[in-house]
Amino acid sequence: MNILHKDVIIIGGGPSGLAAAIALYEQGIKDIMLIERERHLGGILRQCIHDGFGLTLFSENISGPEYAGRLIDRLHTLGVPYVTDTAVLSVSNDKTVQTVSRSGLFTYRAKAVILAMGCRERTAGAIAIPGERPAGVYTAGVAQHYMNLQNIMVGKEVVILGSGDIGMIMARRLTLEGARVQAVLEIMPYPGGLSRNVLQCLEDYDIPLLLSHTVTDIHGGSRLTGVTVSKVDENYNVIEGSERRMDCDTLILSVGLIPENELSTEAGVTLDQVTGGAVVDEHGQTSVPGIFAAGNVLHVHDLADYASLEARRVAAAVYRFIHEGALSKGSLKIIAGKNVRYTVPHAISGQSDVTLSLRVKIPLRDCQLEVRQQGTIIFQKKLNKALPAEMIEVALAQRLFVSTSALEVRVC
Ligand SMILES: Cc1cc2nc3c(=O)[nH]c(=O)nc-3n(C[C@H](O)[C@H](O)[C@H](O)COP(=O)(O)OP(=O)(O)OC[C@H]3O[C@@H](n4cnc5c(N)ncnc54)[C@H](O)[C@@H]3O)c2cc1C
């Protein structure tokens, strides 16, 4: 077997993989290979033709393709090696990576691997909606792919289940293309996506957002004819008598994203049950030494800018890993305390500055974020709001750590 040896293999050519590859190359690690299974680089951003990208990275409000285009231009200018139309089939814990493309099967062995495979959408099957399975039921990303990349209109009378960002963006997109979006339904008592999308995608277009509502039946033979919509109580149980039918030819599902970690699991990487991504230290290093993760494969990001910036930080750690052979161990655990759903990373060494990403469990107003060590508050910050849909980033300086015990993060 002919093995191709590389310093670093990056799996996935979305904003995370691109940012990691560029950063590595700029630092002088040039023996790398970026591998993308689609025909084009850019990841999910290729179909996100709306604006709202780049405010942090480029200080400009640009569209998804423009954002991806800037990273791809930089990649080409530097001459970073990459392949497209090539799927990674397996990754093993000795950092052997197998790929398949029209040219055949290839085996790479790397000193380090960066996982940047993004995530996929939850489907109707995954949330087990009862009823028929007619044509006309799409996930929001699939509908977006049809409309924005293939110029195919998916329907005229639309109901959207889930108020995640993609669902709200698709409500606006469908309206602009002449469809009637009857409502966006959300099972939670608060919106699932960013506040700016509630305003710009729903309120500006008079699209009703029905909180504490869900779809309890799907009707139709070969094509969808309608859905039953029901109200739910605080325990998400359907309130009897609240059912009503909405006639529609299209149901769009925006009910969550799942990090694509099948390859990671096969490599022996430990996953966090809450994020669905790898358990990592401050370097973005997983439980398998030399295998790193960044972007949506690690935890679902609300903004592409944060995914790219995280990938840059991981690239800086990979640079040190390649030169030094190992990185400082994450012996200080980070505990998700009151109202915190998760934190990434999961452990840190306490020997350098770190950036923590976290999400809260419930919407909070006029609250305080605290980081405690052995009961002492070592960092605090006032927040006007903390919403489950919006990722919070906290930069912690190394000098703040007072001992070698675990850190607890809480928002209250
Ligand atoms: C529909 C939608 C709308 C969004 N709107 C906004 C917005 O308005 N503003 C904003 O800032 N953010 C937005 N986001 C979020 C943003 O797009 C993500 O945060 C960002 O794309 C994550 O980048 P990534 O590189 O981690 O993943 P992705 O962009 O998903 O890229 C992952 C790449 O890995 C490849 N891959 C996966 N498995 C393999 C394999 N086995 N072999 C080879 N390649 C593989 C995939 O093909 C893909 O190209 C949106 C996201 C979605 C889904």
Side-chain angles (χ1 to χ4, degrees), residues 12 15-16 36-37 43-45 50 53 88 144 166 296 303-304:
S16 312
E36 168 56 51
R37 68 181 168 195
I44 199 74
L45 299 196
H50 53 278
F53 293 85
V88 172
Q144 189 179 52
I166 319 170
N296 272 11
L303 297 178

Side-chain angles (χ1 to χ4, degrees), residues 90 128-130 160 175 182 184 186 256 270 293 314-315 356 360:
S90 69
I129 306 174
I160 298 183
T175 307
Q182 299 184 31
V184 174
E186 171 56 59
T270 305
V314 168
L356 296 186
V360 290

Side-chain angles (χ1 to χ4, degrees), residues 240-306:
E240 256 185 66
S242 69
E243 301 88 355
R244 65 179 153 123
R245 184 177 162 124
M246 280 188 176
D247 289 334
C248 58
D249 57 28
T250 305
L251 174 66
I252 304 279
L253 305 173
S254 177
V255 288
L257 299 168
I258 306 168
E260 288 245 16
N261 272 304
E262 286 70 19
L263 293 175
S264 327
T265 312
E266 207 182 311
V269 166
T270 305
L271 299 187
D272 175 341
Q273 294 308 311
V274 179
T275 59
V279 171
V280 291
D281 62 18
E282 76 215 62
H283 314 293
Q285 186 168 227
T286 69
S287 56
V288 179
I291 299 187
F292 297 77
N296 272 11
V297 79
L298 180 56
H299 58 122
V300 175
H301 291 62
D302 47 359
L303 297 178
D305 297 63
Y306 290 150

Side-chain angles (χ1 to χ4, degrees), residues 108-393:
Y108 293 89
R109 188 153 303 141
K111 292 178 188 160
V113 172
I114 301 179
L115 307 169
M117 293 90 76
C119 53
R120 63 168 177 269
E121 295 178 285
R122 251 194 205 107
T123 60
I127 56 166
I129 306 174
E132 309 292 322
R133 287 292 178 266
V137 182
Y138 305 89
T139 60
V142 166
Q144 189 179 52
H145 190 278
Y146 274 133
M147 290 179 66
N148 294 352
L149 292 181
Q150 299 188 42
N151 206 21
I152 297 170
M153 188 62 180
V154 292
K156 290 183 180 144
E157 286 290 332
V158 184
V159 171
I160 298 183
L161 175 59
S163 61
D165 290 314
I166 319 170
M168 293 197 281
I169 284 162
M170 283 312 291
R172 176 178 63 183
R173 183 83 183 101
L174 282 152
T175 307
L176 290 171
E177 290 299 331
R180 189 168 75 102
V181 179
Q182 299 184 31
V184 174
L185 314 171
E186 171 56 59
I187 196 165
M188 309 292 278
Y190 49 83
L194 300 173
S195 314
R196 77 175 194 205
N197 285 333
V198 176
L199 197 71
Q200 294 169 9
C201 300
L202 304 186
E203 290 179 12
D204 284 357
Y205 292 85
D206 291 329
I207 300 169
L209 170 62
L210 304 182
L211 300 175
S212 300
H213 278 76
T214 190
V215 168
T216 46
D217 211 348
I218 295 177
H219 312 285
S222 57
R223 177 80 198 194
L224 183 73
T225 54
V227 293
T228 301
V229 172
S230 306
K231 215 172 171 339
V232 298
D233 64 19
E234 59 279 13
N235 298 317
Y236 311 113
N237 295 318
V238 171
I239 300 175
E240 256 185 66
S242 69
E243 301 88 355
R244 65 179 153 123
R245 184 177 162 124
M246 280 188 176
D247 289 334
C248 58
D249 57 28
T250 305
L251 174 66
I252 304 279
L253 305 173
S254 177
V255 288
L257 299 168
I258 306 168
E260 288 245 16
N261 272 304
E262 286 70 19
L263 293 175
S264 327
T265 312
E266 207 182 311
V269 166
T270 305
L271 299 187
D272 175 341
Q273 294 308 311
V274 179
T275 59
V279 171
V280 291
D281 62 18
E282 76 215 62
H283 314 293
Q285 186 168 227
T286 69
S287 56
V288 179
I291 299 187
F292 297 77
N296 272 11
V297 79
L298 180 56
H299 58 122
V300 175
H301 291 62
D302 47 359
L303 297 178
D305 297 63
Y306 290 150
S308 299
L309 290 170
E310 184 175 81
R312 276 190 191 170
R313 291 195 294 272
V314 168
V318 171
Y319 172 88
R320 292 199 308 278
F321 179 83
I322 296 288
H323 285 286
E324 295 159 24
L327 294 164
S328 48
K329 288 226 178 320
S331 47
L332 277 66
K333 277 200 158 178
I334 314 241
I335 299 164
K338 190 168 180 194
N339 293 328
V340 175
R341 191 157 78 85
Y342 73 77
T343 63
V344 172
H346 302 75
I348 60 171
S349 64
Q351 291 166 26
S352 52
D353 299 349
V354 290
T355 302
L356 296 186
S357 303
L358 61 112
R359 282 185 195 256
V360 290
K361 288 180 182 162
I362 49 167
L364 298 160
R365 300 265 161 202
D366 298 321
C367 48
Q368 176 148 301
L369 185 150
E370 288 175 4
V371 181
R372 292 168 179 245
Q373 203 173 21
Q374 282 184 315
T376 308
I377 299 176
I378 60 161
F379 176 88
Q380 57 189 333
K381 186 181 176 184
K382 287 223 174 302
L383 303 172
N384 294 335
K385 59 176 178 145
L387 304 175
E390 296 179 8
M391 207 176 87
I392 300 171
E393 283 208 338

